Amino acid sequence: MALTPSSAFTFKTSAFQVPPASNTPYTLLQTHPSLSLLSKCKNMETFKQIHSQFIKLGLHNNPFWLSKLVEFCAVSPFGDLEYALLIFNTIENPSEILWNILIRGYALSSNPELALEIYIKMVSLGNFPNSYSFPFLFKSCSKLMAAQIGKQVHGCVLKLGLESDVYIHTSIITMYAQIGQLGYARQVFDKSCLRDAVSFTALISGYVSRGCLDEARKLFDEIPVRDVVSWNAMISGYSEAGQFEEALNLFEKMGKVKVTPNESTLLSVLSACAHLGALELGKRVASWISDRGLGSNLFLANALIDMYAKCGEIDTARSLFDGIEVKNIVSWNVMIGGYTHGSKYREALAVFRQMQLEYVEPNDVTFLNILPACAHLGALDLGKWIHAYVNKYYYGLQNSSLWTSLIDMYAKCGSIEAAKQVFNGLEIKSLPSWNVMISGLAMHGDAHGAIDLFSKLVEEGIKPDDITFVGVLSACGHGGLVELGRRYFSSMVQDYSVPPKLTHYGCMIDLLGRAGLFDDAKALVETMDMEPDGAIWGSLLGACRIHKNLELGEYAASRLFKLEYNNHGAYVLLSNIYAGAGRWNDVARIRTMLNDNGLKKVPGCTSIEVDSVVHEFLVSDRTHPQGQDIYKMLDEIDRLLEMAGHVPDTSEVHYDMDEEWKEGILSQHSEKLAIAFGLISTKPGTTLRIVKNLRVCSNCHAATKLISKIFNREIIARDRNRFHHFKDGFCSCMDYW
């Protein structure tokens, strides 16, 4: 768009016959009853009635009244810019005030380019802009990111000698800063003596928006007198850049110099508290809000809900949420997100259901918050509904995070084919979408599929990151592809300059350990350039359990207990190693250590979704309303398993008792109960999908293979480590997990 005359607007000299100018004194105009009516007007229908009255009274030809009429239509939230233009077109010689009102109206509208068109017409008709014209012209350039036009308008300011006007000066700096022309903004700032807090803040905001926080902070420290806006610019800048500690430190300094925070300040600070888990400061802010009667401010209430939820006080967050009489979509989103963040997935689903019952329309943020809950619980039906809703109402939405979450949900709910369909349907695939698809294939045991996808990613010129290689190495681990895993681990560093993190070392040690290559695994641990964490020793301990390596298992456990003395899973793994070796005294010793440390075994829990309802089962659970029928089916399963030659493996029941009782406990594991419920609750041939919070035991794994054959069902089970696809008596993991 060039700053030259255009035909976008056609200005008429007169739309109707204008009566002679009124001689009404200005003081009488200000107190005229019609002005009071105009100030109370809330819609265009009423305005048109007032306008008609003006015409009848002959007031519409007075410049004062004309400016009021045009101002209402152009600037008021109840106005109509097209109607303002119609009135404007009736005026034979519009004053500078009227031109400026129209420029202002369009500058603040969704069509700021029209403000520039009006300015061009204004100049072409021989009218000169003044100091009230330019701030809104620069605002229009900022909104349009029109650097060249902004420079032309700046040139006009210089020609007219208006550069010393403080408002224009600040507008120029703001414009250049907002459109990324920081060099020009700084030149204007440095050459001028009009350095007030507003111009400082304008330049600071520009640096902040471009991530130049050090430059912004230098300017901030130079401000002679800082107002709340300048403090907000820096605090929000730090918060948005993820430098939450700096944001909170600056907020503390703000309090010491007794600058009163406003809503913007508090929102930035509460966001920083939420990310850092700074509950005590968050509570002080909450008290400050309450003491000043700001609790009814919906924006602050939503921020407080988010802060309390992410700081672990989910009940307080829920209490605040329930106390909001009129909730907006943000209120629902932060509550759902708070439950998801706190791993309270069932509660997240419950709030989402409540939201639906109250006919609140979800948005993409809602889905980003609820899809992880669906993924964790295996709520595939709800996930499918969300996918259908997104396709219907958000078709074409370019939110890559949403599509990535859908891929992740399908993969984690056991529907890897649906995940592939969503992924393949993406026109533009972001790196996170590649990563979740690679990880999904790895989780489902399709190691070669994951590796092939990685090759396609590289062929398309996309640079993999550390998360990509976690997926690739994990795929090698699930597939037992030791040599290929070694090559990718080496290539990650040499070819892609991705330094290995603890997660990468963990994948490699798990890969080597599962293959029984304990010497190589120990050598890798010793050559790490960082201290092994609990996950590293946990992987090695798990491998020792698989291969019954008692000596190394004891060593790995001792190192793990030093890092995580309260890691219950480690005690259980070591106990199982002892139980497998028949060392029951050591099993009893481990159980005593658990009791002495006040640790309780994490109960096995398995969920299954039937008719869009997620049902959860614990070991030996008898609380389900259909418990009697479930146990009848469980007895039938055990009978048929026995007929098929299945012999329960009691070696991992980690305490000494007679064999009959051991078999009884194994038959009532949570996954067996979930499968029994699925068999009595679905039609023959229906695929069963179950999700377990722990690793599936070898006995249940062997039993589930046979169940899939006996009942002619495909059973897709997700445990803590991976997916198992049971069908026709076989498992996709080929008994390697």
Side-chain angles (χ1 to χ4, degrees):
M1 175 182 172
L3 199 59
T4 55
S6 167
S7 59
F9 290 93
T10 302
F11 291 85
K12 301 176 183 178
T13 56
S14 178
F16 54 79
Q17 191 66 35
V18 181
S22 171
N23 294 319
T24 309
Y26 181 71
T27 53
L28 293 179
L29 289 174
Q30 287 184 307
T31 58
H32 197 282
S34 297
L35 189 61
S36 176
L37 290 174
L38 191 60
S39 67
K40 297 175 182 177
C41 183
K42 301 295 183 184
N43 56 68
M44 282 301 296
E45 184 178 352
T46 304
F47 172 81
K48 289 176 181 177
Q49 294 175 4
I50 297 171
H51 188 192
S52 299
Q53 184 177 353
F54 279 17
I55 294 172
K56 289 179 181 179
L57 295 173
L59 299 174
H60 62 290
N61 63 322
N62 185 282
F64 174 82
W65 284 111
L66 284 171
S67 66
K68 291 299 179 182
L69 291 171
V70 174
E71 184 178 29
F72 177 88
C73 294
V75 180
S76 168
F78 311 108
D80 183 336
L81 271 166
E82 291 186 6
Y83 199 87
L85 194 59
L86 288 173
I87 298 174
F88 187 87
N89 283 339
T90 68
I91 305 167
E92 188 170 355
N93 294 305
S95 65
E96 289 179 347
I97 294 173
L98 289 166
W99 284 104
N100 287 340
I101 289 172
L102 210 56
I103 289 172
R104 176 187 172 194
Y106 278 108
L108 298 175
S109 77
S110 58
N111 298 303
E113 68 276 6
L114 300 183
L116 297 170
E117 294 281 1
I118 292 171
Y119 168 69
I120 294 167
K121 281 291 183 183
M122 174 184 175
V123 174
S124 66
L125 292 174
N127 297 280
F128 287 96
N130 59 22
S131 58
Y132 293 100
S133 314
F134 287 107
F136 292 103
L137 292 172
F138 286 122
K139 181 180 285 292
S140 297
C141 294
S142 298
K143 292 173 75 172
L144 293 168
M145 301 297 286
Q148 291 305 316
I149 297 176
K151 291 175 183 177
Q152 291 180 55
V153 177
H154 185 187
C156 294
V157 169
L158 296 175
K159 287 179 182 179
L160 293 171
L162 296 174
E163 67 273 16
S164 60
D165 183 282
V166 65
Y167 296 108
I168 294 178
H169 172 258
T170 303
S171 298
I172 294 170
I173 295 172
T174 301
M175 182 270 294
Y176 280 129
Q178 289 181 349
I179 62 179
Q181 300 280 325
L182 288 173
Y184 283 102
R186 190 60 190 255
Q187 285 178 23
V188 174
F189 179 82
D190 288 341
K191 290 179 180 179
S192 173
C193 60
L194 301 172
R195 297 184 185 180
D196 61 356
V198 180
S199 58
F200 266 102
T201 303
L203 192 54
I204 288 169
S205 298
Y207 280 121
V208 165
S209 66
R210 293 297 180 273
C212 305
L213 291 177
D214 291 340
E215 289 294 327
R217 184 58 186 266
K218 288 177 184 176
L219 278 171
F220 176 79
D221 291 338
E222 291 176 14
I223 300 177
V225 180
R226 304 184 188 100
D227 60 7
V228 68
V229 179
S230 57
W231 285 94
N232 287 349
M234 276 313 311
I235 292 172
S236 65
Y238 281 129
S239 185
E240 290 170 10
Q243 297 185 31
F244 303 113
E245 291 183 359
E246 286 293 335
L248 296 185
N249 288 338
L250 204 58
F251 176 66
E252 297 279 12
K253 291 180 180 179
M254 181 180 178
K256 290 177 181 177
V257 297
K258 302 189 183 306
V259 176
T260 303
N262 60 15
E263 179 185 296
S264 179
T265 322
L266 298 172
L267 290 174
S268 295
V269 170
L270 287 172
S271 174
C273 290
H275 282 90
L276 285 178
L279 180 60
E280 290 308 312
L281 178 57
K283 285 183 175 179
R284 295 209 311 268
V285 174
S287 296
W288 193 92
I289 291 170
S290 177
D291 292 344
R292 284 154 182 79
L294 300 175
S296 59
N297 182 308
L298 188 56
F299 297 104
L300 294 176
N302 291 337
L304 284 169
I305 293 168
D306 184 58
M307 183 276 294
Y308 277 118
K310 289 179 178 174
C311 288
E313 293 217 354
I314 194 68
D315 292 338
T316 305
R318 184 56 189 266
S319 178
L320 284 171
F321 174 78
D322 290 338
I324 299 175
E325 292 185 10
V326 181
K327 304 174 179 69
N328 63 7
I329 185 62
V330 178
S331 311
W332 292 95
N333 287 346
V334 294
M335 194 67 250
I336 293 169
Y339 276 129
T340 299
H341 179 81
S343 300
K344 293 184 176 292
Y345 303 109
R346 293 182 67 85
E347 290 85 349
L349 292 188
V351 174
F352 181 68
R353 297 288 192 197
Q354 182 185 346
M355 178 180 172
Q356 290 178 296
L357 292 173
E358 296 191 20
Y359 300 102
V360 179
E361 183 178 350
N363 60 16
D364 54 333
V365 178
T366 316
F367 298 136
L368 286 170
N369 285 330
I370 200 65
L371 281 169
C374 296
H376 183 87
L377 294 173
L380 180 60
D381 288 346
L382 178 56
K384 286 180 177 178
W385 180 88
I386 291 172
H387 187 190
Y389 189 98
V390 169
N391 277 336
K392 183 175 181 180
Y393 295 104
Y394 290 91
Y395 183 76
L397 178 69
Q398 296 301 313
N399 186 330
S400 61
S401 297
L402 181 56
W403 297 110
T404 299
S405 292
L406 281 167
I407 296 167
D408 187 57
M409 179 277 298
Y410 276 122
K412 289 180 178 175
C413 286
S415 187
I416 193 66
E417 292 303 319
K420 290 179 185 177
Q421 288 177 9
V422 176
F423 177 78
N424 292 331
L426 294 178
E427 292 184 13
I428 301 175
K429 298 177 176 66
S430 64
L431 180 58
S433 67
W434 287 92
N435 288 346
V436 297
M437 194 67 243
I438 290 170
S439 296
L441 291 167
M443 193 190 311
H444 281 265
D446 188 359
H448 293 290
I451 291 167
D452 288 344
L453 194 62
F454 174 77
S455 299
K456 290 180 182 177
L457 178 149
V458 174
E459 288 172 6
E460 294 200 12
I462 300 173
K463 185 181 178 181
D465 62 5
D466 59 311
I467 299 173
T468 316
F469 281 102
V470 170
V472 172
L473 295 175
S474 179
C476 294
H478 289 313
L481 307 175
V482 177
E483 292 308 314
L484 197 57
R486 291 185 199 267
R487 290 208 300 271
Y488 278 121
F489 186 76
S490 176
S491 175
M492 176 179 73
V493 180
Q494 296 177 4
D495 300 331
Y496 299 100
S497 302
V498 176
K501 296 182 178 179
L502 284 169
T503 48
H504 303 110
Y505 283 114
C507 288
M508 284 303 299
I509 289 164
D510 183 65
L511 169 63
L512 296 169
R514 286 179 183 277
L517 302 173
F518 290 111
D519 290 339
D520 292 348
K522 286 194 294 182
L524 184 59
V525 171
E526 291 168 359
T527 58
M528 287 172 55
D529 56 0
M530 58 193 78
E531 285 296 317
D533 64 353
I536 300 288
W537 294 115
S539 294
L540 198 56
L541 181 59
C544 291
R545 183 201 59 77
I546 295 171
H547 293 282
K548 305 185 188 305
N549 189 326
L550 180 58
E551 182 180 354
L552 183 57
E554 288 181 317
Y555 174 73
S558 67
R559 297 300 300 268
L560 181 53
F561 293 152
K562 288 180 180 179
L563 295 171
E564 302 173 4
Y565 75 92
N566 61 344
N567 186 328
H568 185 277
Y571 290 95
V572 173
L573 281 173
L574 183 58
S575 178
N576 285 341
I577 294 173
Y578 284 136
R583 291 174 53 170
W584 300 109
N585 288 336
D586 287 316
V587 172
R589 178 172 59 83
I590 295 297
R591 294 186 67 198
T592 300
M593 290 173 64
L594 282 170
N595 291 332
D596 290 345
N597 290 332
L599 301 176
K600 294 183 179 180
K601 183 180 184 298
V602 177
C605 177
T606 302
S607 62
I608 181 172
E609 185 184 42
V610 176
D611 296 331
S612 301
V613 178
V614 177
H615 301 259
E616 288 185 337
F617 296 90
L618 301 175
V619 63
S620 304
D621 197 340
R622 294 182 180 272
T623 61
H624 196 278
Q626 294 174 252
Q628 188 173 357
D629 294 332
I630 292 170
Y631 273 87
K632 283 182 181 179
M633 174 53 75
L634 197 60
D635 291 339
E636 178 65 8
I637 290 172
D638 289 338
R639 186 183 69 80
L640 294 173
L641 285 173
E642 186 177 358
M643 288 178 60
H646 173 66
V647 178
D649 177 9
T650 61
S651 63
E652 287 193 356
V653 180
H654 61 280
Y655 44 92
D656 196 8
M657 57 172 62
D658 62 58
E659 292 299 308
E660 183 179 352
W661 275 101
K662 287 181 183 180
E663 291 180 15
I665 286 178
L666 289 171
S667 72
Q668 295 175 16
H669 275 189
S670 60
E671 54 262 61
K672 294 277 287 293
L673 292 170
I675 290 170
F677 174 70
L679 290 172
I680 66 172
S681 304
T682 60
K683 296 178 181 178
T686 303
T687 298
L688 302 182
R689 289 180 171 84
I690 62 174
V691 176
K692 185 174 182 179
N693 65 330
L694 303 176
R695 179 184 177 277
V696 63
C697 70
S698 58
N699 180 77
C700 287
H701 190 270
T704 307
K705 286 195 297 184
L706 282 174
I707 292 171
S708 71
K709 182 177 182 180
I710 293 168
F711 290 91
N712 192 27
R713 297 284 194 116
E714 181 177 5
I715 302 172
I716 301 174
R718 187 185 89 201
D719 69 7
R720 187 175 58 191
N721 295 334
R722 61 168 296 160
F723 271 93
H724 302 264
H725 292 248
F726 300 96
K727 190 174 182 180
D728 299 326
F730 296 94
C731 179
S732 60
C733 75
M734 304 301 290
D735 298 336
Y736 187 87
W737 86 98

